[in-house]
Amino acid sequence: MATVLVMAQLLTGFKSGNAQNKPVKNIVLVHGAFADGSGWKQVYDILTKKGYHVSIVQNPLTSLKDDVNAANSVIGAQDGPVILVGHSWGGAVITAAGVNPKVAGLVYVAAFAPDQGETAGKWVSAAPQAPEAGFTKPDQFGFVYFDPAKFHGGFAGDLSKAQSDFLCASQVPIIGHCFEEPVEQAAWKTKPSYGIVATEDKALDPGTERTMYKRANAKITEIKGSHVIFISQPEAVVRVIMAAAENK
């Protein structure tokens, strides 16, 4: 009887360990400022062909709280654990929304990774702004745009001019105050994290990205590309997302 009980315990432990190591199949993608979820199209196509269930959050970009609520709405609709992926401003969103119990890991793509009590704006000004980058002043409604005259060089330098022009014309403005809202909780303190540094980024300094990722104890991958690295290098970005899903 004792032998049977020991074997049962071992088998139970084995099954439990396998369950914990089972790859996460739900991927939730969160866009940043001046963009919308359609920018993830190539990443979505690659991941779905590989068998992942991919959902894309459409941030209202009206406040950090509103964006976190939008992310949590999508996370809540998933049927199991989630890998939460954020680009740029979306990094602040996943940092806060990532405390959701369904979130198994975080992937930062040229993104902000603020600590509790910090704002994204703090990290915007952590390094001198590249001359290629620039933002408009808030308009009468409080919305801020990426300067159209600098959009190609500062935001999407490794895309064709035609691609960049469309992204610029369809850019989604963000309420400027969003960058002044502090994160209440930092999920990277308790969740496995992965960070992609876009080495040619002009919108968010690559050195700033490295600093935030190192502090978050994230596994860092450097990819040559612009701020929209997920559009210009989707296969490389997918490899990092899959590593997170497989907890590698």
Side-chain angles (χ1 to χ4, degrees):
M1 178 64 74
T3 301
V4 171
L5 287 174
V6 170
M7 289 301 295
Q9 289 172 349
L10 287 173
L11 286 171
T12 300
F14 178 75
K15 290 178 181 178
S16 175
N18 275 353
Q20 291 175 359
N21 293 326
K22 187 177 180 180
V24 175
K25 287 298 182 182
N26 295 310
I27 311 295
V28 173
L29 307 173
V30 182
H31 67 80
F34 318 118
D36 70 7
S38 64
W40 291 109
K41 179 65 165 60
Q42 294 180 86
V43 169
Y44 169 90
D45 287 344
I46 298 169
L47 284 170
T48 53
K49 286 178 182 177
K50 292 182 179 294
Y52 290 92
H53 176 257
V54 184
S55 302
I56 301 171
V57 176
Q58 292 286 14
N59 287 323
L61 299 178
T62 47
S63 73
L64 177 59
K65 181 179 179 181
D66 289 345
D67 290 356
V68 171
N69 286 344
N72 274 317
S73 177
V74 176
I75 294 166
Q78 308 305 305
D79 63 359
V82 170
I83 295 298
L84 195 54
V85 184
H87 170 249
S88 192
W89 161 255
V93 177
I94 71 169
T95 295
V99 299
N100 188 308
K102 281 192 173 182
V103 175
L106 308 167
V107 180
Y108 292 89
V109 183
F112 294 99
D115 198 353
Q116 181 178 353
E118 291 182 348
T119 65
K122 169 189 173 178
W123 291 100
V124 171
S125 57
Q129 189 177 70
E132 295 90 343
F135 311 103
T136 65
K137 293 180 179 179
D139 65 13
Q140 61 181 331
F141 307 108
F143 287 109
V144 174
Y145 293 81
F146 202 96
D147 185 348
K150 295 187 173 185
F151 193 92
H152 190 203
F155 197 78
D158 54 354
L159 300 185
S160 70
K161 185 67 163 51
Q163 283 179 292
S164 176
D165 285 349
F166 177 77
L167 289 175
C168 181
S170 62
Q171 67 171 293
V172 185
I174 186 170
I175 291 292
H177 183 69
C178 290
F179 291 101
E180 300 171 13
E181 294 181 61
V183 170
E184 293 184 359
Q185 299 181 76
W188 50 257
K189 290 186 173 180
T190 57
K191 306 288 176 81
S193 300
Y194 298 72
I196 294 175
V197 175
T199 61
E200 307 300 311
D201 201 335
K202 303 300 181 185
L204 180 59
D205 181 70
T208 298
E209 294 170 19
R210 290 187 197 97
T211 298
M212 289 186 287
Y213 298 162
K214 287 179 181 177
R215 182 182 63 171
N217 197 31
K219 294 182 180 180
I220 299 174
T221 301
E222 303 213 358
I223 303 172
K224 185 177 181 180
S226 73
H227 191 57
V228 291
I229 192 80
F230 63 103
I231 298 176
S232 62
Q233 300 285 349
E235 295 89 355
V237 170
V238 164
R239 284 195 290 270
V240 177
I241 295 172
M242 290 177 62
E246 296 167 8
N247 196 23
K248 291 184 176 179

